[in-house]
Amino acid sequence: MTEMKARLTDQAWQNWFEPVKPTSLEGGVLNIAVPNKITKEWIEQHYKETVQDIILQITGDSMDLNLQIVPVAIKAGAGTGSGSTGQNTSVIPPRNRASNDPYEDIRLNERYVFETFVEGPHNRFAKVASKAVGESPGDTSFNPLLIYGGSGLGKTHLLQAIGNNVRNKFPDKNIIYVSSEKFMMDFISSLQNNRSRDFNAKYRNCDILLVDDIQFLQSKEGTQEQFFHIFNELYQARKQIVITADRTPKEMKGVEERLISRFLSGLMVDIQPPDLETRIAILKKKAFDEDLKIPDDVISFIANNIKKNVRELESATIKIFAYSSLTHMDIDINLAKKVIKDILGVKQSTTISIDHIMKSVAKKYRISENEIIGKSRQKIIALSRQITMYFARELSGDSLKSIGLRLGGRDHSTVIHACGTVSDKMKNDDGFKREMDTLRNQIELNTFE
Ligand code: ADP
Ligand code: MG
């Protein structure tokens, strides 16, 4: 860590590494606890290699890094379950990580609570029903509660909020939070290991069963059968069951009729895509919670462009923050435009042309493109030429020969030499390295337009 500090600016150190803690080392993998998603993504994208480099220097071993989000002050909760459906924000206690034991589960993510769930007309009913269930599990007529809606609209958040609420209010209640995929894996592995008894005991003894993404059980007859029995037992014992799905039960193909009619016997609530006001409210809340200052016009610009998916709204705030701290650009509409392009995947082309790189470099160093192509040996021009070659090699996908040709009919060995010079300079000069990192981003993000 000391070594890392020496390699970074104070600002970068404080932003990213101060709150980070190595937790354990298992089979060549170093587990590191980070406080939130932003830090995790940022370190993974920008510092992973440096960290690995340092570890290699110190220990002589190369190691993989595994960053785990561990919010400060996690409670040792009774909540169990798995987020195998792409919940990269699940809180995985370090000691559980390397285990393949299907009986060990992932805890509830404590970020997913009702307080952080912004209410709007699109989700109001779902939230009210979920809250009622979280307050009096098994004691409402909402059993089972089925929450359905498109991807990224907050189903998992609500489901876990129910679990978190129950855990806080009734610490003795046994909660199982599980994706249907995980349920199936548990089931299959119990068959393989002759642990059916454990499997049954585990699920039948719970007070509240939260099953995420039930649509996954489509066409898995054996697992459905098992689920059906567990469902009935829990239901008869007045235990609470909450299920999420990305479609209505009627739209689920390959799910047995009797199971569907069970789902329909309780309350079904849907979540629709949020309206504009709610999208703005969600963005403001996310920015506030993560301590990001995003101007109002940028917020409303994002909200006007990302319409269908809250996960994408969230990802926009994270990216904007990340880009602006890397490129030191102000958070403004231009930056937001680029981020949104990125998220919605409407980038015109994924390859970056030599011309675009040359233009960017020329703008950055305030020289003309003709000077880059020309013969001048003036220091800044020669260096700009080499930098153009370097990024052309890195980003354009063109051959050394065509890069040389485009840059004033130079020979491929000149290009190789230029790339070597630039990369050496980056290794030896931190300031230059940072300048190049910024430039690379500017080229990629097209901020010189
Ligand atoms: P789903 O399970 O429906 O695909 P998630 O529950 O995983 O969606 O939600 C995606 C992300 O969006 C999560 O990080 C969640 O916290 C956030 N989110 C969704 N709806 C809201 C909301 N109404 N208020 C705050 N955050 C939300
Ligand atoms: Mg989900």
Side-chain angles (χ1 to χ4, degrees):
M1 289 300 262
T2 328
E3 179 64 21
M4 197 68 211
K5 194 169 180 177
R7 291 203 192 185
L8 293 173
T9 61
D10 283 353
Q11 189 61 42
W13 171 261
Q14 275 169 18
N15 279 352
W16 307 115
F17 286 92
E18 214 146 69
V20 157
K21 244 201 338 258
T23 49
S24 63
L25 183 62
E26 299 163 43
V29 178
L30 181 65
N31 294 314
I32 298 177
V34 298
N36 54 42
K37 199 157 130 192
I38 293 183
T39 311
K40 176 176 153 81
E41 292 184 349
W42 191 250
I43 293 182
E44 276 171 353
Q45 283 164 19
H46 299 278
Y47 295 112
K48 203 166 176 173
E49 283 174 13
T50 318
V51 175
Q52 286 177 318
D53 206 35
I54 293 172
I55 297 173
L56 182 65
Q57 269 181 22
I58 297 175
T59 66
D61 279 329
S62 48
M63 276 175 210
D64 262 340
L65 301 184
N66 175 44
L67 302 177
Q68 302 157 326
I69 301 170
V70 181
V72 211
I74 290 180
K75 291 185 204 108
T80 55
S82 152
S84 48
T85 47
Q87 290 303 318
N88 55 359
T89 48
S90 290
V91 177
I92 306 172
R95 66 189 160 76
N96 280 1
R97 212 211 94 258
S99 163
N100 291 321
D101 183 350
Y103 292 88
E104 273 192 60
D105 291 318
I106 298 169
R107 290 182 197 167
L108 294 168
N109 183 338
E110 64 174 28
R111 218 165 52 84
Y112 290 158
V113 290
F114 292 120
E115 291 75 47
T116 58
F117 192 80
V118 178
E119 189 179 314
H122 70 295
N123 62 18
R124 184 158 294 136
F125 193 38
K127 183 173 179 181
V128 169
S130 301
K131 262 188 135 163
V133 165
E135 287 292 307
S136 331
D139 278 341
T140 64
S141 51
F142 312 153
N143 202 12
L145 174 64
L146 175 73
I147 305 169
Y148 73 92
S151 164
L153 294 181
K155 301 182 296 294
T156 298
H157 189 137
L158 273 184
L159 188 65
Q160 294 208 18
I162 295 174
N164 279 316
N165 205 78
V166 174
R167 187 178 76 185
N168 290 335
K169 198 166 171 191
F170 310 98
D172 295 336
K173 284 212 192 287
N174 183 5
I175 307 163
I176 293 186
Y177 164 72
V178 77
S179 66
S180 59
E181 199 175 359
K182 164 82 170 145
F183 179 84
M184 186 177 85
M185 310 251 277
D186 266 15
F187 174 57
I188 292 172
S189 99
S190 76
L191 296 179
Q192 286 164 347
N193 304 323
N194 289 323
R195 287 173 77 172
S196 298
R197 205 188 282 241
D198 293 357
F199 175 86
N200 287 329
K202 168 179 168 179
Y203 284 97
R204 292 186 165 129
N205 287 339
C206 75
D207 299 304
I208 166 162
L209 178 61
L210 308 169
V211 186
D212 211 354
D213 291 317
I214 196 84
Q215 72 276 357
F216 188 79
L217 288 192
Q218 289 184 128
S219 311
K220 316 277 186 330
E221 283 111 33
T223 314
Q224 279 184 30
E225 168 91 25
Q226 199 62 25
F227 185 70
F228 183 74
H229 291 306
I230 289 171
F231 184 106
N232 282 342
E233 278 188 43
L234 292 175
Y235 184 74
Q236 271 149 25
R238 293 176 61 97
K239 309 290 189 183
Q240 180 72 49
I241 301 157
V242 188
I243 294 164
T244 72
D246 69 355
R247 62 203 82 174
T248 64
K250 293 209 169 100
E251 290 162 342
M252 289 182 214
K253 303 206 168 63
V255 174
E256 287 178 56
E257 270 307 315
R258 56 178 185 168
L259 202 48
I260 289 186
S261 68
R262 284 289 184 282
F263 294 163
L264 293 174
S265 65
L267 178 70
M268 237 170 49
V269 290
D270 69 331
I271 307 185
Q272 293 293 325
D275 60 13
L276 179 65
E277 287 73 29
T278 316
R279 296 200 298 276
I280 291 178
I282 291 173
L283 283 170
K284 287 195 163 163
K285 176 133 183 68
K286 301 274 170 201
F288 179 81
D289 288 348
E290 299 284 2
D291 217 3
L292 311 179
K293 299 207 171 28
I294 304 183
D296 281 351
D297 61 331
V298 175
I299 296 242
S300 82
F301 182 80
I302 302 173
N304 270 300
N305 284 282
I306 297 184
K307 298 182 175 156
K308 297 215 176 81
N309 188 319
V310 180
R311 187 176 291 123
E312 285 175 355
L313 282 178
E314 198 168 62
S315 134
T317 50
I318 292 174
K319 285 198 170 165
I320 285 182
F321 174 66
Y323 286 167
S324 86
S325 45
L326 179 71
T327 60
H328 303 293
M329 284 172 33
D330 288 338
I331 298 186
D332 62 10
I333 302 274
N334 271 331
L335 182 64
K337 265 189 200 159
K338 290 169 205 319
V339 166
I340 285 169
K341 252 196 211 171
D342 223 39
I343 290 175
L344 300 182
V346 287
K347 264 186 169 171
Q348 317 84 327
S349 74
T350 43
T351 55
I352 297 177
S353 70
I354 303 178
D355 282 357
H356 170 68
I357 294 167
M358 182 154 60
K359 204 192 243 164
S360 308
V361 175
K363 284 215 169 124
K364 167 128 186 150
Y365 295 104
R366 293 164 206 262
I367 57 176
S368 74
E369 289 167 54
N370 279 335
E371 284 175 306
I372 293 186
I373 293 173
K375 298 224 161 11
S376 166
R377 289 175 185 268
Q378 204 190 318
K379 203 167 158 202
I380 186 68
I381 297 176
L383 181 62
S384 298
R385 190 178 297 132
Q386 290 178 321
I387 292 172
T388 306
M389 290 178 179
Y390 174 84
F391 282 121
R393 175 99 170 104
E394 292 266 301
L395 305 172
S396 75
D398 287 315
S399 68
L400 292 168
K401 196 169 158 197
S402 18
I403 296 172
L405 271 179
R406 181 70 192 94
L407 291 176
R410 291 173 159 88
D411 176 85
H412 82 279
S413 63
T414 310
V415 182
I416 295 181
H417 178 74
C419 295
T421 309
V422 172
S423 86
D424 283 352
K425 197 164 158 61
M426 283 169 63
K427 279 195 196 105
N428 299 325
D429 178 348
D430 277 355
F432 181 73
K433 164 94 169 68
R434 275 196 294 277
E435 194 175 312
M436 291 304 104
D437 287 345
T438 307
L439 179 56
R440 175 198 297 266
N441 260 281
Q442 290 169 323
I443 293 171
E444 284 175 341
L445 295 172
N446 221 350
T447 49
F448 285 117
E449 249 172 40

